[in-house]
Amino acid sequence: MSQHSQFTLLKERRFAPFFWTQFFGAFNDNVFKTALLTVLTYDALTWTTMDVGLLNNLIPGLFILPFVLFSATSGQLADKFEKGKVARYVKLLEIAIMAIAAYGWMSKNIWILVAAVAGMGIHSTLFGPVKYAYLPQHLRSDELVGGNGVIEMGTFVGILLGEILGAMLVVHKPWGVELVAGGCILIAVLGWLFSLRIPVSPAPVPDLKINWNPATETVRNISFSRKNRPVFLSLLANSWFWFYGAILLAQFPLYAKDYLHGDHSVFVLLLTIFSFGIGAGSLLCERLSGHKVEIGLVPFGAIGLSIFGFDLYLSSLLYTNTATVTAMSFIDQVGSYKILFDIFMIGIFGGLYIVPLFALIQTRCDPKHLSRTIAGMNIMNALFMVVAALAAMLMLKQGFTIPQIFMATAILNALVAIYIFSVVPEFLMRFVAWILIHTVHRVKGINVDKIPEEGAAVLVCNHVSYMDAIVIMAYSPRPIRFVMDHGIFKIPFLSWVFRTAKAIPIASAKDNPWLMEKSFVDIAQALHEGDLVCIFPEGKLTRDGEINEFKGGVMKIVERTPVPVIPMALRGLWGSLLSRDEGNPFHRSFRRGPFSRLELVVGEPQDPEKISPESLQQQVKELRGDWK
């Protein structure tokens, strides 16, 4: 697998033009919206006689509304037409919207500007499905997490810079309005120029018949996604992040003003710290995931969101300053660093949470339906943000302080995470695997790219310890159906985990002939559905580190369903506390050391018609070598 830095993608045509196209889109959205909100906040009387508070809530709502109304249609367009062409048309639409907005700025017509806000919402709605469906077409699997990380970093940096520039330009005297009007058109033109360089991205379903009814298409999209449980729950988990973020960010203005006693610069500081945290967490995903889609980072991110969200509540209680401060003088206050650290860490763990979810959706979703799935997710995101606004209003009405809202959201996040990870324990199991191979053991994968990313195959491996499956799972690009002894399968609590993970219990003909036959039927069904199945042909854990005789079950499997057989070998697990030994396992564990080095070695796929238990055993022995 490629191990280059994700930033090298910014030098390649297959990624760079698309990155800058989406960056300038997010940048322009926020230059325009922030400039308008700033004008309404500080110079409203020369623009309108309407209630400023109403307009400040109307504008974000109008920007989100198109996501609900037009996402279903935009998803179909991205699946039906070539994505580079769609991106160029969307950028031309942005230029037209900014030209209309320029007239609104120059004539001080607030309603033209409000209409332009809705127009930019439509622009973002149309580009959203293209944004995430484009990447899997042009990036390799080992680049996907890094590419998503760079995109997320660019999006949040674009949002932050746009907010700062919009607020600065519009108050510039005497040319503030003119600078915003011309600047937004210039940014839109830059985005369009970059879109001209986007390479061809063939339409996955060019003969798709467009359903122009957004309601029925939305229901159909979500119904389709529900058939793939991990993808659907990833969509929900993604939308939950936007719920969490919407509540958090919506409180920042009043939090900065009323609790930190800061001016506008303190609010900007909080946004800056949070945005840099998101960007850093997004970029960190590639290194922590080992250049692969590692959904074990999602529980890690969820844990961090709850811990530091709750700690932000505690930090707020320790802040005692009551004098008005600027950003620079705020930093000198007792407790300020703790608050900023918590906000930064919420951003870090938010990036670790969201990037693997996007990568999972991109890799597990049907490619012909990916844009429509992303569109359905955008609708869910918008609805979750609306619910977040209502939830925050309800908590404030019930007398919650803003720090208490942070605490309540952190606790609610923990409850939602527990639900999601209990329904799809693959997240939690991959998290345990990730923790083990980054703490207790140092695991190296050799030729793990030979594990196929799609299609059925049987994996055979030596059986060394009780954590063999976890190590193998940690290096697999997709879920594995493990075949395990029915006695282990029945262990309380673990039985629920095994069932949910779709493990296949098996028994010997002597113990339970009916279950043995059913096991082979289930294995055949799993292979027929294109799954990976892993079997330990020894049938038991080694007691001396040597590979036991391979049984004939693997032959029975491939006779029913001829699929490639992939030999693998685990090195270094023998001697751990979780291996079996008649002697003293503790002696060997301490001798080996607390941070022992492990390896998973994957061999070449074998023709099912040319294998035998003896040949597979020999290949696994050769892969393992002399190292137990």
Side-chain angles (χ1 to χ4, degrees):
M1 288 189 179
S2 170
Q3 298 295 311
H4 57 70
S5 167
Q6 56 204 357
F7 291 108
T8 60
L9 292 172
L10 291 172
K11 302 176 183 178
E12 300 184 24
R13 186 184 170 191
R14 61 195 172 106
F15 183 83
F18 180 79
F19 170 84
W20 291 112
T21 299
Q22 68 86 30
F23 172 85
F24 281 114
F27 182 52
N28 211 16
D29 280 344
N30 287 277
V31 170
F32 176 62
K33 284 191 301 178
T34 305
L36 181 56
L37 289 171
T38 302
V39 161
L40 292 177
T41 301
Y42 295 101
D43 196 22
L45 293 179
T46 61
W47 289 75
T48 181
T49 58
M50 288 190 62
D51 179 68
V52 175
L54 174 64
L55 286 173
N56 281 342
N57 285 284
L58 176 64
I59 288 171
L62 284 175
F63 186 81
I64 293 174
L65 183 62
F67 285 92
V68 178
L69 297 179
F70 303 115
S71 282
T73 302
S74 67
Q76 295 177 88
L77 295 175
D79 274 337
K80 182 178 178 64
F81 299 106
E82 192 269 315
K83 293 179 181 60
K85 183 180 292 185
V86 174
R88 286 185 278 277
Y89 279 121
V90 170
K91 291 293 119 180
L92 287 174
L93 174 64
E94 182 184 1
I95 294 172
I97 293 169
M98 288 297 97
I100 294 171
Y103 175 76
W105 284 116
M106 302 309 294
S107 62
K108 292 190 176 183
N109 189 319
I110 194 66
W111 292 111
I112 290 179
L113 294 173
V114 168
V117 169
M120 289 302 287
I122 294 173
H123 154 267
S124 296
T125 301
L126 293 173
F127 192 73
V130 175
K131 176 178 177 179
Y132 291 109
Y134 173 90
L135 295 180
Q137 287 187 282
H138 294 273
L139 301 185
R140 299 188 303 271
S141 60
D142 58 310
E143 297 174 323
L144 202 52
V145 169
N148 274 290
V150 174
I151 289 289
E152 289 305 302
M153 177 274 298
T155 299
F156 277 92
V157 170
I159 290 171
L160 172 65
L161 294 179
E163 289 174 341
I164 294 173
L165 184 62
M168 290 175 56
L169 285 182
V170 78
V171 296
H172 187 278
K173 301 297 182 182
W175 302 104
V177 167
E178 290 80 2
L179 288 172
V180 171
C184 286
I185 292 176
L186 177 61
I187 296 167
V189 170
L190 282 174
W192 174 71
L193 290 174
F194 275 107
S195 74
L196 297 177
R197 296 279 297 166
I198 294 176
V200 173
S201 307
V205 195
D207 57 348
L208 177 68
K209 185 177 180 180
I210 302 293
N211 175 15
W212 297 102
N213 186 322
T216 58
E217 182 62 22
T218 298
V219 171
R220 187 163 67 180
N221 277 345
I222 294 176
S223 298
F224 181 85
S225 299
R226 285 175 64 91
K227 297 176 183 177
N228 189 329
R229 195 170 183 81
V231 168
F232 180 69
L233 286 168
S234 296
L235 298 178
L236 288 177
N238 182 290
S239 295
W240 171 255
F241 173 77
W242 288 102
F243 176 97
Y244 184 104
I247 285 187
L248 188 75
L249 293 177
Q251 311 316 311
F252 274 6
L254 282 179
Y255 179 64
K257 178 183 177 184
D258 295 343
Y259 286 87
L260 305 182
H261 303 285
D263 62 8
H264 183 71
S265 66
V266 175
F267 167 57
V268 173
L269 176 64
L270 299 184
L271 284 178
T272 302
I273 294 296
F274 178 76
S275 298
F276 277 117
I278 287 280
S282 299
L283 296 177
L284 194 59
C285 280
E286 184 185 52
R287 178 172 293 274
L288 293 179
S289 67
H291 296 262
K292 65 179 185 296
V293 178
E294 180 50 85
I295 62 174
L297 291 177
V298 178
F300 189 42
I303 291 169
L305 287 173
S306 284
I307 289 175
F308 289 100
F310 191 88
D311 198 55
L312 180 58
Y313 159 72
L314 298 177
S315 301
S316 301
L317 298 182
L318 298 176
Y319 184 81
T320 57
N321 169 63
T322 57
T324 302
V325 291
T326 63
M328 294 303 296
S329 54
F330 166 71
I331 293 175
D332 294 330
Q333 305 302 313
V334 174
S336 62
Y337 281 103
K338 188 67 163 41
I339 290 172
L340 294 177
F341 176 75
D342 285 333
I343 291 173
F344 181 73
M345 294 307 294
I346 289 172
I348 286 278
F349 282 97
L352 295 177
Y353 178 89
I354 198 71
V355 169
L357 284 175
F358 278 127
L360 182 143
I361 293 167
Q362 290 164 337
T363 54
R364 301 274 185 93
C365 182
D366 180 357
K368 294 183 179 180
H369 211 278
L370 179 56
S371 295
R372 283 167 284 173
T373 299
I374 296 295
M377 181 185 72
N378 287 341
I379 295 172
M380 293 166 61
N381 289 350
L383 294 176
F384 269 63
M385 285 190 282
V386 171
V387 173
L390 296 175
M393 291 169 60
L394 179 62
M395 284 189 278
L396 289 171
K397 188 175 181 180
Q398 294 298 316
F400 280 59
T401 64
I402 289 179
Q404 287 173 339
I405 290 177
F406 295 153
M407 176 187 66
T409 306
I411 294 172
L412 193 57
N413 177 72
L415 296 176
V416 170
I418 290 171
Y419 167 73
I420 291 175
F421 304 142
S422 65
V423 175
V424 184
E426 184 191 353
F427 283 103
L428 199 56
M429 293 170 70
R430 290 291 289 259
F431 173 58
V432 172
W434 184 82
I435 288 291
L436 283 174
I437 67 176
H438 286 84
T439 55
V440 179
H441 296 289
R442 293 171 295 140
V443 183
K444 178 182 179 182
I446 300 176
N447 296 328
V448 291
D449 55 331
K450 295 185 185 300
I451 300 176
E453 296 183 6
E454 57 183 21
V458 175
L459 310 177
V460 297
C461 189
N462 57 321
H463 205 5
V464 188
S465 77
Y466 291 106
M467 64 176 290
D468 292 352
I470 292 177
V471 175
I472 295 170
M473 181 175 56
Y475 273 97
S476 173
R478 57 196 177 106
I480 298 175
R481 302 284 300 274
F482 285 93
V483 181
M484 64 172 53
D485 180 83
H486 69 109
I488 298 175
F489 189 88
K490 293 177 181 177
I491 296 175
F493 176 73
L494 291 180
S495 177
W496 163 77
V497 175
F498 296 146
R499 283 198 307 271
T500 312
K502 295 184 177 181
I504 301 172
I506 194 168
S508 66
K510 180 180 178 181
D511 290 342
N512 191 331
W514 178 86
L515 179 58
M516 185 187 74
E517 184 58 32
K518 181 181 182 299
S519 301
F520 285 111
V521 172
D522 291 342
I523 292 170
Q525 177 65 27
L527 294 172
H528 175 73
E529 293 173 356
D531 292 338
L532 288 176
V533 173
C534 182
I535 186 170
F536 300 99
E538 296 167 88
K540 59 182 179 181
L541 288 175
T542 179
R543 293 180 181 272
D544 57 7
E546 297 300 331
I547 296 176
N548 296 307
E549 178 187 354
F550 276 23
K551 307 298 183 183
V554 66
M555 300 306 299
K556 191 172 181 179
I557 291 172
V558 296
E559 284 172 4
R560 292 191 179 199
T561 315
V563 297
V565 179
I566 302 172
M568 305 187 302
L570 287 165
R571 300 172 175 173
L573 267 174
W574 171 247
S576 71
L577 282 172
L578 294 175
S579 59
R580 178 179 290 178
D581 185 22
E582 298 296 337
N584 183 359
F586 291 95
H587 172 70
R588 288 183 290 103
S589 296
F590 287 111
R591 183 181 63 190
R592 187 176 291 277
F595 302 105
S596 56
R597 184 164 59 93
L598 313 179
E599 289 183 351
L600 173 66
V601 189
V602 183
E604 295 290 340
Q606 303 296 305
D607 187 334
E609 297 180 356
K610 297 180 180 179
I611 63 167
S612 68
E614 294 77 17
S615 67
L616 287 174
Q617 182 181 0
Q618 183 60 34
Q619 289 181 62
V620 172
K621 281 185 176 180
E622 292 174 358
L623 290 171
R624 192 200 65 173
D626 297 329
W627 185 21
K628 297 180 182 181

